[in-house]
Amino acid sequence: MVFKLVESAQDRWRAITGAHLVALVRAGARSENGVLVERLEQAA
């Protein structure tokens, strides 16, 4: 039953349009108001 519900719902699901941004998110990149913010490297 769950399979049939998911199968019928996937026609209305929105595709991921920012898949190329996943690497930036995993690297810890930040954005403010949709603009990428550069990180300042901190000396240890």
Side-chain angles (χ1 to χ4, degrees):
M1 184 172 163
V2 173
F3 174 77
K4 285 294 187 181
L5 287 172
V6 171
E7 189 178 47
S8 67
Q10 79 183 35
D11 293 334
R12 295 181 301 271
W13 287 349
R14 182 176 165 212
I16 296 174
T17 57
H20 61 282
L21 299 174
V22 173
L24 288 174
V25 172
R26 290 188 69 196
R30 291 184 1 154
S31 65
E32 292 181 10
N33 296 326
V35 178
L36 187 61
V37 177
E38 295 292 327
R39 293 189 296 185
L40 297 177
E41 296 295 328
Q42 295 179 356

